Amino acid sequence: MAGAVLVAPSIARAAPRYSYADAIRESVQVETPLDNDADGRPDRVVVDLVRPREAAERGIRVPVVMVASPYYQCCGRGLENERKEYADDGTVTQFPLYYDNWFVPRGYAFAAVDAAGTSRSTGCADVGGREEILAVKAAIDWLNGRARGFHADGTGASAGWSTGRVGMIGKSWDGSIANGVAATGVRGLATIVPISAISSWYDYSRYAGVVRSRRHHVYLHNYTSGRPAGVCTAVTSELSAGSDDATGDYNAYWAERDFRPDARTVRASVFIAHGLNDTNVTTTQVGAWWSALAKHRVPRKIWLYQQAHTDPFDVRRAEWVRTLDRWFEYWLKGVDNGIMREPQATVERAPGRWVDEPSWPAPSLQVPVRLGNGTLGLRPAAGTVSFTDDPSLGESALVAQPNTPVAGRLMFLSAPVPTSLRVSGTASVTLRVRVDRPTTNFSVRLVDYGTADRVNYGNAAGGVVRQTTESCWGQSTATDDACYFDTVEDVVSTDHAVITRGWLEASHHASLSSPTPLDPDRWYTMTVTFQPHDFVLATGHVLGLVVSQSDRSFTSPTPSGATVEVDLAGSRLTLPVAGPVRIGEPDRAPAVTTSRAPDPPAADVVPHA
C-alpha cells in the first residue's frame, strides 16, 4: 500500500505541502553533559532526523516533533512492533509509527532519539535517572544551538534549519522521558504529549511502600541496553542498590526519578492521554502529575479512555490524529486554531461513548461512606471485624461471590444505587486497625457489581482488537509505510468489574521514607488511596469495597500471616462524587463482542508497547 493516503478529508485540515519521499534524512550524534559509562568522553545520543527538503531549499525553518525512546532496536513501537531500519550510510529508512509520515509533509521535522545506552547511543541506561533525562535535553539544546552535534564522520552538525520549537510525544517509557525532560524547564520544548506515561518511577515500582516487582530497574536496563557486555556494570550495581528492594522506602534514588516536584519549572504545555484501566502505568501517574501541573497553571489538555496500556491512535484513531494535528499546529507553529478554547478534558465514559468536559476531575463532593458489618452506607456502625492474610487469593477470587464469606478478605456492599452515581478523581479508604505483626500489606478494591458492556482491557492489546483492514496516516515510501491495521474496542458483557485499586505497606502509613514497625497492642488509623478514576455506577448496581492483604495479582507478595482487626466506627470510604451524569453519544465504530471477561495481567510488566 506504499504511497496510498486513505485519510478522510475532514481529518487532513492542514494539507500536506512537502514530499515525504524526497525528505532529507540524516543522523546526528549529540554530545551530552555526562559520562556515566566512564570512558573519559562525554556520552552521545543519536538523533535520527527526517525533514522536508523543499523547506530547506527555500530557507524555511521548521519545528520538530520528537520521540525519545529506549525501544527502537530491542523491542519496537506500537501494536505492530516497528523498529528503526537503516540504509548503508547509517541514516534511517524506516521510522516506527506514523508521526514522520504525517507531520513531515505538513512542515515539521521528525526526530527519533535513541535514549542513552540504548540502540546506537553511548552512555548507560539509568532508567529514569539524570543520564536518561539530561541526554535527551541535550538533543533539544542542540536544536537550539546550545549543544554540539556531529555526523558519523566526525564533522560538526548544526540545526540551523530548525525553529528551535520542539514537541515531544511518546507512549509508556517514551512519554515518561518527555515528562522528565519537561521537568528540567529546558527552553525550546514547547509542548509534550505523554501517553500512558510515568511521572514518578517510585510510584511505578512501589505502591506506597509495597514492592511491585523486584530488580525491575536492572531488568529494564538489561532489556533495552545496546552497550557491550561489562561496559555498564557499575551503573547496574547502582540501580540495584538504589532501588532498595529490601525496604520499599522512598529515598534519594527515587527522588531523582520523581518529576512531580519540578512541575513548577515546566515551560511546555502538556497534553496527556491515559487509559483509565491501565494496570501497567497506573492512573496515579497521570493523576498526581496532572494535579501538580494544574497547581502551577501549566497549559494542559487530557484524554482518558476505557482501555489499559493503549495508545489513543488504536482507540479513536481519526479523532486523535485530528486533535494531535491541531495541538502541534498551535504550540509549534503558533496557529490560533481555537484548540485552547475548547473543553480541556475528553473522557470515554463507557465503551464508545465520549464526553468533552471543561476540566478534570469533575467538580465533586467528598462523600464519606461508612463501613458496617458487610455493608456500605451513610450511618456509622459499631464493632470490629477481623481477617487473616491469605496470600493464595488472586484478584478473581477476591472479588467473586460478593455475598459469600471468603477467608482472607473483607467485603462491604452498598445497597443498589437508586440513580446513576459518578465518581471522578481519587477515592480513599481510611481504616482504624490493630495488627498482630510489625507490618502487613493492605490491598483495597472498588468493584462495580452489575451487568454491563465493558471494555475487555485485560486482552493482549489492552482492550482493542486488530482488524484485517488498514488505513493510512500520511505519506508512504517503499521502505516506510504509513498504513496501519485498523482496530476496534473489545467489548464484553460481564456481571462485575474492578473499578480501581490501592495498596499500602502498613509500616509506611506515616512516612514513605521512614517506616515504623507496628505495635500489636496499639490501634492505628491509616489511609489507603485508590488509583484516580472516572466511572459511573449505573442505576441498580452495587458498589463493593474489598479489603485484603497480600496481593499476588499486582505486587511481589510478601505474606505476613497477619491478623488484622478493623474498628468499623473509625473506618470509612471517601468518594469524590460528581454530577450530573452524562454518558455521551456512541462512536460509529462497531464493538467486538467476545465471551471472555476482563482478566488482570501479570504483576511483573514492562512499560512497553
Side-chain angles (χ1 to χ4, degrees):
M1 298 183 68
V5 180
L6 306 181
V7 181
S10 61
I11 303 303
R13 58 179 306 278
R17 295 187 296 156
Y18 302 113
S19 167
Y20 180 71
D22 293 334
I24 297 170
R25 295 166 184 267
E26 58 185 327
S27 185
V28 175
Q29 301 168 16
V30 173
E31 191 173 83
T32 80
L34 300 177
D35 175 22
N36 83 337
D37 59 10
D39 66 356
R41 299 185 298 273
D43 299 330
R44 292 184 178 185
V45 290
V46 170
V47 182
D48 289 314
L49 293 155
V50 55
R51 53 190 176 92
R53 184 177 298 276
E54 301 94 326
E57 291 174 346
R58 298 170 194 164
I60 299 172
R61 295 187 177 190
V62 296
V64 179
V65 174
M66 176 184 289
V67 179
S69 177
Y71 289 131
Y72 280 128
Q73 285 305 302
C74 72
C75 329
R77 306 310 297 127
L79 284 182
E80 298 177 35
N81 292 317
E82 292 184 316
R83 293 171 170 81
K84 287 182 183 179
E85 295 182 7
Y86 301 93
D88 291 340
D89 65 0
T91 57
V92 176
T93 57
Q94 176 180 293
F95 289 90
L97 306 177
Y98 66 97
Y99 303 126
D100 53 318
N101 310 87
W102 182 268
F103 286 106
V104 170
R106 286 165 171 77
Y108 302 81
F110 177 70
V113 182
D114 294 331
T118 72
S119 191
R120 298 188 297 171
S121 291
T122 63
C124 295
D126 61 354
V127 190
R130 292 179 69 248
E131 174 83 2
E132 179 171 293
I133 301 306
L134 294 183
V136 177
K137 175 183 177 292
I140 296 173
D141 285 333
W142 173 73
L143 289 165
N144 284 273
R146 299 188 299 265
R148 297 201 302 167
F150 303 90
H151 296 296
D153 62 5
T155 59
S158 67
W161 49 264
S162 169
T163 65
R165 295 186 67 79
V166 179
M168 293 187 69
I169 186 170
K171 173 175 174 276
S172 197
W173 199 337
D174 307 357
S176 310
I177 294 173
N179 282 336
V181 175
T184 69
V186 59
R187 293 183 182 274
L189 181 60
T191 191
I192 63 170
V193 185
I195 301 167
S196 305
I198 294 166
S199 60
S200 164
W201 281 88
Y202 177 84
D203 280 351
Y204 179 77
S205 303
R206 307 285 184 263
Y207 294 140
V210 178
V211 176
R212 180 182 182 186
S213 184
R214 300 182 188 282
R215 289 187 59 79
H216 197 212
H217 280 203
V218 173
Y219 166 76
L220 291 176
H221 169 97
N222 293 337
Y223 187 63
T224 60
S225 178
R227 304 310 310 280
V231 168
C232 296
T233 301
V235 171
T236 55
S237 296
E238 291 170 3
L239 297 178
S240 180
S243 54
D244 189 17
D245 287 343
T247 68
D249 292 353
Y250 184 91
N251 56 25
Y253 175 91
W254 297 113
E256 180 183 317
R257 292 159 175 79
D258 186 352
F259 311 135
R260 299 166 191 166
D262 292 321
R264 67 187 182 279
T265 67
V266 171
R267 299 176 186 271
S269 63
V270 181
F271 183 5
I272 290 174
H274 212 102
L276 285 165
N277 291 302
D278 194 337
T279 55
N280 182 343
V281 179
T282 61
T283 55
T284 289
Q285 300 291 342
V286 59
W289 185 227
W290 180 258
S291 297
L293 295 169
K295 179 180 177 181
H296 296 286
R297 301 181 182 273
V298 173
R300 63 203 184 283
K301 187 175 180 64
I302 192 168
W303 270 37
L304 297 169
Y305 35 94
Q306 291 293 316
Q307 278 66 30
H309 199 59
T310 309
D311 194 311
F313 182 75
D314 297 315
V315 177
R316 200 187 190 200
R317 185 167 295 179
E319 184 65 19
W320 172 251
V321 174
R322 184 187 75 87
T323 305
L324 186 62
D325 190 29
R326 296 177 65 231
W327 183 262
F328 281 148
E329 184 183 58
Y330 180 89
W331 287 103
L332 298 183
K333 292 187 173 182
V335 177
D336 187 3
N337 53 28
I339 194 166
M340 294 307 293
R341 295 187 293 275
E342 295 173 358
Q344 184 184 72
T346 297
V347 181
E348 187 182 21
R349 190 80 74 233
R353 293 180 177 268
W354 297 79
V355 174
D356 292 329
E357 296 194 324
S359 63
W360 188 84
S364 60
L365 180 66
Q366 299 295 315
V367 176
V369 181
R370 300 295 180 175
L371 278 56
N373 190 8
T375 64
L376 292 174
L378 299 179
R379 296 181 179 178
T384 63
V385 292
S386 62
F387 68 111
T388 300
D389 182 26
D390 183 352
S392 71
L393 291 175
E395 179 167 279
S396 296
L398 282 169
V399 303
Q401 298 180 308
N403 296 305
T404 301
V406 174
R409 79 173 185 194
L410 296 179
M411 175 71 72
F412 303 92
L413 300 172
S414 75
V417 295
T419 185
S420 294
L421 176 73
R422 180 185 176 190
V423 175
S424 180
T426 304
S428 63
V429 59
T430 298
L431 301 171
R432 187 168 185 264
V433 296
R434 187 161 58 187
V435 183
D436 69 350
R437 296 287 192 276
T439 192
T440 192
N441 291 346
F442 285 107
S443 305
V444 296
R445 288 165 170 82
L446 287 180
V447 187
D448 176 358
Y449 290 104
T451 299
D453 289 341
R454 299 179 171 99
V455 169
N456 179 28
Y457 64 82
N459 77 7
V464 297
V465 176
R466 194 170 84 172
Q467 305 297 283
T468 57
T469 58
E470 286 186 326
S471 57
C472 303
W473 302 85
Q475 297 179 12
S476 297
T477 67
T479 59
D480 197 314
D481 193 345
C483 306
Y484 294 86
F485 286 109
D486 297 317
T487 58
V488 294
E489 292 188 308
D490 186 359
V491 179
V492 294
S493 179
T494 63
D495 61 6
H496 71 277
V498 176
I499 301 164
T500 181
R501 305 163 180 87
W503 299 268
L504 172 68
E505 201 279 330
S507 71
H508 286 85
H509 75 278
S511 170
L512 292 179
S513 57
S514 300
T516 305
L518 305 182
D519 181 343
D521 296 321
R522 179 182 168 187
W523 287 93
Y524 296 86
T525 298
M526 49 189 70
T527 297
V528 189
T529 302
F530 288 98
Q531 306 290 340
H533 212 283
D534 197 298
F535 70 91
V536 175
L537 192 70
T539 301
H541 284 207
V542 170
L543 181 66
L545 168 65
V546 182
V547 181
S548 60
Q549 296 183 58
S550 300
D551 187 351
R552 66 182 181 89
S553 295
F554 289 95
T555 72
S556 292
T558 51
S560 66
T563 295
V564 175
E565 191 176 2
V566 179
D567 173 23
L568 296 175
S571 302
R572 67 186 180 278
L573 169 68
T574 302
L575 297 176
V577 176
V581 175
R582 291 192 301 128
I583 298 299
E585 294 298 321
D587 279 3
R588 290 189 298 273
V592 173
T593 301
T594 73
S595 59
R596 293 181 292 107
D599 251 341
D604 288 340
V605 290
V606 178
H608 169 246

